[in-house]
Amino acid sequence: MSSTASNLPIAKAITAGLRDAMTADDKVLLMGEDIGPLGGVFRVTDGLHAEFGSQRVVDTPLAEAGIVGTAVGLAVRGYRPVVEIQFDGFVYPAYNQITTQVAKMHNRTSGAVNLPIVIRIPHGGGIGAVEHHSESPEALFAPTAGLRILAPSNSQDAYWMTRQAIECEDPVIMLEPKRRYWVKGDVDPDHRPELTPWQARVVRPGTDATLLAWGPSMPLALESAQAAAEDGIDLEVIDARSLSPVDFPTIAASVRRTGRLLITHEAPVLGGLGGEIAARISEQCFYHLEAPVLRVGGYHLPYPPARMEHAYLPDLDRVLDGVDRLFEH
Amino acid sequence: MSSTASNLPIAKAITAGLRDAMTADDKVLLMGEDIGPLGGVFRVTDGLHAEFGSQRVVDTPLAEAGIVGTAVGLAVRGYRPVVEIQFDGFVYPAYNQITTQVAKMHNRTSGAVNLPIVIRIPHGGGIGAVEHHSESPEALFAPTAGLRILAPSNSQDAYWMTRQAIECEDPVIMLEPKRRYWVKGDVDPDHRPELTPWQARVVRPGTDATLLAWGPSMPLALESAQAAAEDGIDLEVIDARSLSPVDFPTIAASVRRTGRLLITHEAPVLGGLGGEIAARISEQCFYHLEAPVLRVGGYHLPYPPARMEHAYLPDLDRVLDGVDRLFEH
Amino acid sequence: MSVFRSTIPDVAADEPMVQLLAADGTRSPHPEFDAVLAGSGLATPERLRGYYRDMVMIRAADLEATSLQRQGQLGLWASALGQEAAQIGAGHASREQDYLVPTYREHGVAWARGIEPWRLLELFRGISHGGWDPNALRTHPYMIVLGSQAPHAVGYAMGLQRDGVVGTGDPTTDASVLALFGDGASSEGEVAESFTFAASFQAPVVFYTQNNQWAISVPTSVQSRVPLAQRSRGWGIPSVRVDGNDVLAVLGAVRSALDSARAGNGPMFVEALTYRMAAHTTSDDASRYRPAAEEEEWAAKDPILRLRRHLEQQGEIDEQYVTRCDEEAHDLAMQLHHHIHGMEDPDPVRMFDHPYAEPHPIVDAERAEYLEYISQFEDEEERA
Amino acid sequence: MSVFRSTIPDVAADEPMVQLLAADGTRSPHPEFDAVLAGSGLATPERLRGYYRDMVMIRAADLEATSLQRQGQLGLWASALGQEAAQIGAGHASREQDYLVPTYREHGVAWARGIEPWRLLELFRGISHGGWDPNALRTHPYMIVLGSQAPHAVGYAMGLQRDGVVGTGDPTTDASVLALFGDGASSEGEVAESFTFAASFQAPVVFYTQNNQWAISVPTSVQSRVPLAQRSRGWGIPSVRVDGNDVLAVLGAVRSALDSARAGNGPMFVEALTYRMAAHTTSDDASRYRPAAEEEEWAAKDPILRLRRHLEQQGEIDEQYVTRCDEEAHDLAMQLHHHIHGMEDPDPVRMFDHPYAEPHPIVDAERAEYLEYISQFEDEEERA
Ligand SMILES: Cc1ncc(C[n+]2csc(CCOP(=O)(O)OP(=O)(O)O)c2C)c(N)n1
Ligand SMILES: Cc1ncc(C[n+]2csc(CCOP(=O)(O)OP(=O)(O)O)c2C)c(N)n1
Ligand SMILES: [Mg+2]
Ligand SMILES: [Mg+2]
């Protein structure tokens, strides 16, 4: 065990989580493109190949369906594969395996087979990349029963969600906030957090409105709350943390207090996960809502070229504009 | 041109639409598994291979990514490929091509290349089938910009949407209501309908609440309205018709009149397209809604075995229960 | 010949086919496979009679299933008629510790692995999506999304490597995997990726295609211009084409490939040339795309008749045995008939049982909602 | 040898490599490709000097792009250093009417097709996702999702068949398609499916892999245990391995394959063995996974130097020409430098321009919303 609290960037917290999981259970193995000697293009598996060897840190052929599909077979055989998809935009060749196999095998076997597979996906934009490197595909996976989705936003969650996703008997997609990989935070690997990974966290209590975000959008949410506070608006900020299942009770409880909800995510608003959340909260908090649930997110466009992404991504002004609109009602 | 109004099952109306499109434009060609001499497993392409030959009605190798991917190349070369995916559950191997290529090529080429590709998918459940044959994947495609999605619910729409989807310069996914393929209806191939394919249709005007559905759920929606009428509740029934883009103005206008909205679809409620619609309508009609937007649909489960599907699919009782709940508020 | 052309066989369609039993039951020698069969004890007269019985039994079950479907008892049935030798042979060629990864038409393989036919029928009836424990029976569930099972097979084989049960030199404990897919499914990219993984990691997996000439209405020639057996050679995966209606050729090829794989020599590929005698499924009408003459031609190559003729020629089977097999087969069919007709529909609440292995709040809430909703009707019924 | 083993080459790694120019510039004869080169006029001294110039130019552009990236002017750059012969050769081997389907590292191919380097740089700068008209330049956009372009190439080739411009006997109007992908991408299932479609429909497409030894940090041996050239033979697609740093071998192989395809003889596959001299991209650190010695070994096989030596040996190039090429290359680099440094960022509203070809109410509404939102700030600025 890493066994000492420390200050780590999110990427390194995941590395530590992987290392500790591999040490704790020799059925855990890593698979993916360039995760071996290179340590992954984001260096998340840095050092693990040297430490655990090529049977447990496997540089695979370049074929995402093959990676996820062989992970299924390994899981049936009793292994706990942790798969790295290099970028969000390259998960789609594995979409069939994830949607029809990973998600459904437990159900297909009437519960006889568990598939404790973790699919790690660096996700989101804002890194000035070329096409296909900045996607936010959460809504393309969340509707599929059998999958779980986690989206850590800080180092402590990154460490523990990695551990807990690997321990989970269900398949888990981990959406890692790629543009925050190098943001540091405290990690305490010795004390299992009280919150389960499936629970949302109220990161900043507030009274006037609720602001919900996750993963890479959390810093923006907190920054927005601070700015709003300067304008006299006290926002309650919630980190959704789990995107499947979404912790609706925690969100609803907050909205019942504040009467207003703004959701922000990088994915397009149209068809984004915010829609499902808005729909449920609108239903569950019908009599508490003083304004419609609003969303600030990407547009219904292919993710734009890097020099335009600042206008596509939610930013402080757009979130504050959303907050203002919450109070126009 | 078929040139005479007639009474046709939905499947045959699509056949007629394909035939007329192929006659009108020799760049139109059909591709898919078993669409040639067999006429497709649902016989939608019946007779077309004999009529147009194997250069225009192409039995392809059994590889969905290859089918959609070669359609992209044909479209770049100036053809208008109409692709048949045999069942909804088998579209996922082509998901990468659809999501990263079909949807994005026009944008990627800064508008230089159009991809007038139609992807026909028999969709939905209720046919007593084995696994993977009863899926409702609309929410897995609707978030992706660049795609359009049509869901005809009757023969006239089936004919004309086929024609119009093929004429459209954008790629269109046609979700065909497989369990209604043999339901007959009038088709008038001579008069282009006034409504564009992208508009919703108020199928039954009503005053007390709006019931929105599409494709295979339309008969249920109408049946429900009739049953509700007997209970003194006058439902306005809307056929969404286009699922991308959804015609929000028509729906919102109705809800502003009725003050209530129930959405029913076969896909799981959680993460279904109804969520996005509920979220938008809740926002746009905030002051008009007398009850939260409610949804009746599938559960967050893999589509169940045939002998349980009746309990999974929305039925008259569940929709009426939803209607009742609209008035509990 | 050009530097390009010289790289492929001159007449690519000329792929030899290993046959040990001719259609009339005549036995030809095949030094390599004969040795395998002799060494394995897989071809003793007693075993051969057993395969005959197996094939008769599974064909009876298959025909009964078709008639159950006609009676509305099954939603669908995918008949394996004509493929009995290819399936019974492959099933028995595998060893106890091997893991088999089937498609949806592997009734003979399932039978050989000890999976009762009613479990298959359950699936086609629409009771469950898969009824057995894959690890207990060392057989993957029936798989419907074509080709998707192939990487699972390779992954499982990679697991065997990590478990240290490959290449130890003891074939009674070393294990390997048999990955089954059809001629049509061979075109799926996931199958190709499976070849890549298997070759790169030298995984102990044998790919096995029953080339039954058709993928629904599409002939194999659309999937490959050259014999399918050649496909894997592009990865350096050795392969062979055998007569799939010849149980001995299938046994020899599959056992020898599995044993090579378990010994640590990497993947192999076997193409068994056979014929789907029935329509694709009970929903299909084969007369729309293939001539009756073709069906008749293949009827003459029937794998069951062939083995019986061989056993008769060897004097290893008598009328009595044949009759007993027929009777047992009839009994099996009757059992299936009664079992299925007597089946009650499952309580739909069971659909909430296994979406997840761990508790899930949405599923729990929806289950509760469903039960509450259903209870209204029960209340009504009670009141009525 | 077993019936299995006899189906694959004995030592699979023994794949002959066609080479016309040795590393030191020595020319060896190759009757078949010599005839192709002679017949096509592709290897006149003038053309060869042209290729030399092309390679020098594109290398200069490439190096400049790397430095522009270091200056923060590009988000990323994928250098093609070392692959100039493989790209310039393939580009020029294609005929005007052919359609080329590149990946994201095809700068030499783009150059040969008349696509100005600044258009490539735009992409890496993050101005657009693709700036040219594929039909006008008969070159597909740069493609990033590995392998996804391969079926497009086959589909385009199927379109050529339907247009009647294949196999008419006139190579000056008959057309074919060149589908490019890397050694890494060759593992993607979509590439395999492309082989299947191309073989089944005998589409006029040539698959072309620049095996530059690496897929980021993963050596080609992980993608295939046997030489990649052998892959396509599993489909009966003839193939050849050539020295990818030898522009003559590339020209001969690719032209002869394209001409065979356009003549109606179906697909072919060419593997060009080359080396990615730089890191994968400017984000990559190659020292983490490959030894400097390897890079040095390949530096000695430099394709540009090789052609120059050959031309020198033939007395077909002089110091003056070399100097002029260097000067032109320097000018090109300077032009690129100024062009890129002078570039203004596009108005983000342009992101709403091309999601759809036809009007779309959601896009229109969101564009309007965006403009209104933006106008607040303009108002503020005006007020300020
Ligand atoms: C990915 C996918 N695409 C399409 C189908 C529909 N389908 C079911 S069986 C079949 C033909 C399969 O042919 P083959 O692989 O030769 O197996 P066989 O049916 O002959 O046993 C098709 C197209 C499917 N099940 N999965
Ligand atoms: C489907 C997909 N998976 C992963 C990636 C990330 N990626 C970009 S380039 C690359 C390596 C490609 O290697 P190769 O095909 O040999 O081409 P090269 O870079 O050597 O030119 C990888 C893994 C991608 N672009 N697409
Ligand atoms: Mg078949
Ligand atoms: Mg490479």
Side-chain angles (χ1 to χ4, degrees), chain A:
Chain A
M1 287 285 191
S2 310
S3 268
T4 29
S6 51
N7 191 266
L8 290 176
I10 289 178
K12 291 292 153 207
I14 299 169
T15 315
L18 293 172
R19 176 181 293 110
D20 290 351
M22 293 179 79
T23 306
D25 181 351
D26 60 14
K27 293 291 186 189
V28 177
L29 54 81
L30 316 185
M31 311 170 64
E33 297 159 5
D34 304 292
I35 66 162
L38 182 62
V41 294
F42 291 105
R43 306 292 183 267
V44 170
T45 57
D46 194 22
L48 300 179
H49 181 263
E51 203 169 328
F52 295 97
S54 49
Q55 290 300 296
R56 296 189 64 197
V57 181
V58 188
D59 262 344
T60 64
L62 210 167
E64 288 76 10
I67 298 172
V68 174
T70 51
V72 171
L74 278 155
V76 173
R77 180 69 196 176
Y79 285 84
R80 306 183 89 86
V82 181
V83 158
E84 175 173 310
I85 297 290
Q86 199 159 76
F87 278 89
D88 32 52
F90 308 138
V91 68
Y92 305 119
Y95 197 81
N96 174 55
Q97 281 293 331
I98 296 175
T99 304
T100 71
Q101 306 305 320
V102 172
K104 295 185 173 59
M105 188 64 80
H106 180 73
N107 187 68
R108 181 177 303 140
T109 59
S110 305
V113 164
N114 295 350
L115 286 192
I117 296 173
V118 178
I119 301 175
R120 298 180 36 242
I121 310 179
H123 93 130
I127 61 163
V130 293
E131 207 186 348
H132 308 294
H133 289 71
S134 308
E135 311 282 310
S136 295
E138 50 264 49
L140 304 178
F141 292 105
T144 297
L147 302 175
R148 295 172 183 265
I149 308 174
L150 294 176
S153 68
N154 59 60
S155 297
Q156 169 78 351
D157 277 357
Y159 174 86
W160 278 107
M161 284 182 173
T162 300
R163 298 292 310 266
Q164 291 167 320
I166 293 172
E167 286 163 6
C168 182
E169 289 297 326
D170 291 313
V172 179
I173 293 175
M174 280 260 299
L175 296 175
E176 301 176 356
K178 72 163 90 87
R179 66 163 149 158
R180 311 288 178 199
Y181 265 145
W182 301 106
V183 176
K184 286 190 168 188
D186 288 336
V187 174
D188 177 358
D190 301 317
H191 303 94
R192 204 163 270 266
E194 267 173 50
L195 231 50
T196 75
W198 320 111
Q199 286 177 289
R201 174 185 286 126
V202 177
V203 187
R204 181 193 192 281
T207 53
D208 297 340
T210 304
L211 175 57
L212 175 71
W214 54 80
S217 302
M218 284 314 297
L220 171 62
L222 286 166
E223 194 192 349
S224 304
Q226 207 161 347
E230 285 161 24
D231 287 353
I233 301 175
D234 185 20
L235 294 182
E236 174 143 311
V237 179
I238 299 183
D239 181 348
R241 299 176 79 243
S242 172
L243 307 184
S244 179
V246 170
D247 177 5
F248 291 108
T250 296
I251 303 167
S254 169
V255 174
R256 286 197 194 97
R257 281 193 308 272
T258 64
R260 290 179 168 84
L261 175 61
L262 181 70
I263 306 169
T264 185
H265 56 51
E266 293 190 8
V269 167
L270 186 82
L273 190 57
E276 179 62 35
I277 300 172
R280 293 223 168 200
I281 296 301
S282 295
E283 180 182 342
Q284 294 175 10
C285 306
F286 188 68
Y287 292 111
H288 295 85
L289 279 172
E290 292 171 45
V293 178
L294 296 182
R295 294 174 283 162
V296 172
Y299 299 104
H300 185 62
L301 302 173
Y303 194 91
R307 299 257 165 178
M308 307 182 194
E309 68 181 338
H310 62 281
Y312 177 90
L313 290 170
D315 62 10
L316 185 62
D317 285 326
R318 283 180 62 203
V319 172
L320 291 177
D321 182 65
V323 173
D324 286 349
R325 283 186 289 124
L326 276 184
F327 289 93
E328 273 166 23
H329 284 267

Side-chain angles (χ1 to χ4, degrees), chain A residues 33 64 86 90, chain D residues 104-105 144 146 182-185 212 214-215 280:
Chain A
E33 297 159 5
E64 288 76 10
Q86 199 159 76
F90 308 138
Chain D
Y104 47 83
R105 196 195 294 286
I144 290 176
L146 294 166
D183 47 287
N212 63 7
W214 293 95
H280 172 69

